[in-house]
Amino acid sequence: MHIRKQRLLTPGPTPLYPPALHAMMASDIHHRTEEFRNAYRSALADLKEVYGTANDVLCFAASGTGAMDASVSNLFSRGDKVIVCSAGKFGERWVDITKAYGLDANVLKVEYGDVVTPDRVEAALKAEPATKGVFIQASETSTGVEHDIQTIAGLVKNTEAIFVVDAITGIGTMPLDIDGWGLDVVVGGSQKAFMIPPGLAFLSVSPKAWKFADTATLPHYYFSLKKEKKSGDAGESSWTPATSLVMALGEALKYIKKTGVANLIENAQLLALATREACEELGLELFAKRPGSSVTAVKAPAGMDSKVIVKGFKERFGAIIANGQGSMQGQIFRMAHLGYFDFADMFGIVAGLELILRANGHRVELGKGVAAVQRVYESAQPKKANA
Ligand SMILES: *Cc1c(COP(=O)(O)O)cnc(C)c1O
C-alpha cells in the first residue's frame, strides 16, 4: 500500500519499452551527419517493414494529428468532395480537418459505440461519383470500435477516390494489409503500439495517392509529403528531426520486428479478449458494438460515474487509465491493450478493477474477473507438454 508504482495504462501514450527510453540518451548527435543518417535510414526501413507495405512511408516530428493534417493539405484541393466516416472523437477530427481546409465533406455519422458500415460507404460513393477521398479510423480509440477496413477498401479501390485511414491505434492491434487491400494513406503515431513517447507521426503513401499530390492545390509548408520523401531517400528529414525519438523508434522497431508484427497483433487481441471475458464475469457491459483490440471501452455500472473508477486506479494503484472523452466522460472507462502491455498487466488491472468496483457498491465476487483472464492466458499457451 505504501509503494505505488506509476503506471501509464492509457491507449496513448502507452507503456514505454525501456531499451527505447535508454536509446533516447544517445541523442547528443547532429542530424546532418552520416552517423545520424544511418540511424534514420535504418529506422525508416524498419518502419516500412512493420507497416508491411511497398508504399513510401514518411515520418514527421508531430503528434499523430500532424500526419492526418498532412494527408489533407497535400492530397486535396479546396472544394473537393470527400466522404468522412465519423464514429467518435477521432472521426470528428477528420471532419474538423477536412472542413478547415475547405473540402466538401459528406459526413457519415453514427452514434458513439457504433460503426460506419460498408453499405453506407457504398451508397455514398454511388451517390457521388466525383468523390475524391474516403476518410476513416481503423480503430476509433474514443469508443473502442474497429471498422471493417478490408471491405470498405474493396469499395473505394475501384473508384477515383483514395482511402485515407487513421490507423494510429489500428497498427499493431488489427491486421492491415496495406498493399493487398489498397489502403492509400495509412497514418500512425509513435505513442501508440510503437511503445515510445509522443512526438512522431507516420504515414504511408500509395502510388494512387502520389498522383493526387501532383494536382492538389491546398497550401502547405512544414508538412510536405514530396519534400519529406526526397529528404527521407537521402537519409534525412526535411527539418530538424526529433532525434531522441528517432533513436527510441529504432530500438522499439527492432523489438517489434523480433516479436513479429503478427504476434504483436495477437498479443493485443488476446488481452482484449481476456478483458471482454472478465467484464462479462463482473457484470459489466461493453460500450463498443464491434469491439476492436486496441482498447476496451466499458460502461460504468448503473449509478456509478466512471470517474470514480479512473480515480480509484490513480489513488489506490498509481495507475492512469482512460475515462471517456467528450460526452462519454463519466459514462465509460477504457482499458488499453496496444503495444507494450502483457498478461501480468492485465491480471493487475482486472484485480484492481474488482476491488474498486466493490469499494463503490457494485457486487463483485473477488477473483472472478481475474480467473477469466487466467483462462484466456492458459488456453492461448502452445500445448507443448503433450506433444
Ligand atoms: C491518438 C490518436 C490520434 C492522434 O492524436 P494525437 O494526439 O495527435 O497523437 C488520432 N487518431 C486516433 C484514432 C488516435 O487514437
Side-chain angles (χ1 to χ4, degrees), residues 329-352:
Q329 198 173 342
Q331 314 293 312
I332 63 170
F333 60 99
R334 293 172 297 149
M335 290 179 276
H337 322 297
L338 71 174
Y340 202 55
F341 277 94
D342 68 6
F343 265 92
D345 290 326
M346 212 63 245
F347 298 145
I349 292 166
V350 173

Side-chain angles (χ1 to χ4, degrees), residues 70-151:
S71 70
V72 176
S73 67
N74 281 260
L75 302 175
F76 294 92
S77 306
R78 184 166 272 277
D80 277 354
K81 291 189 186 327
V82 295
I83 293 168
V84 180
C85 302
S86 177
K89 297 310 287 181
F90 293 102
E92 288 161 22
R93 192 166 298 180
W94 274 138
V95 175
D96 290 345
I97 298 170
T98 53
K99 291 206 168 148
Y101 281 108
L103 305 192
D104 180 0
N106 175 14
V107 179
L108 307 183
K109 196 173 170 61
V110 292
E111 300 230 314
Y112 291 157
D114 216 336
V115 287
V116 179
T117 53
D119 53 306
R120 275 192 75 187
V121 178
E122 187 172 28
L125 281 168
K126 281 224 175 82
E128 185 50 86
T131 298
K132 286 283 197 63
V134 177
F135 293 84
I136 200 166
Q137 269 65 39
S139 149
E140 173 53 74
T141 321
S142 66
T143 67
V145 300
E146 192 172 287
H147 277 117
D148 183 352
I149 296 300
Q150 182 174 10
T151 304

Side-chain angles (χ1 to χ4, degrees), residues 63-65 68 90 93 137 139 141 166 168-169 191-192:
S63 80
T65 306
M68 294 171 76
F90 293 102
R93 192 166 298 180
Q137 269 65 39
S139 149
T141 321
D166 165 3
I168 295 180
T169 54
Q191 82 275 30
K192 308 289 169 109

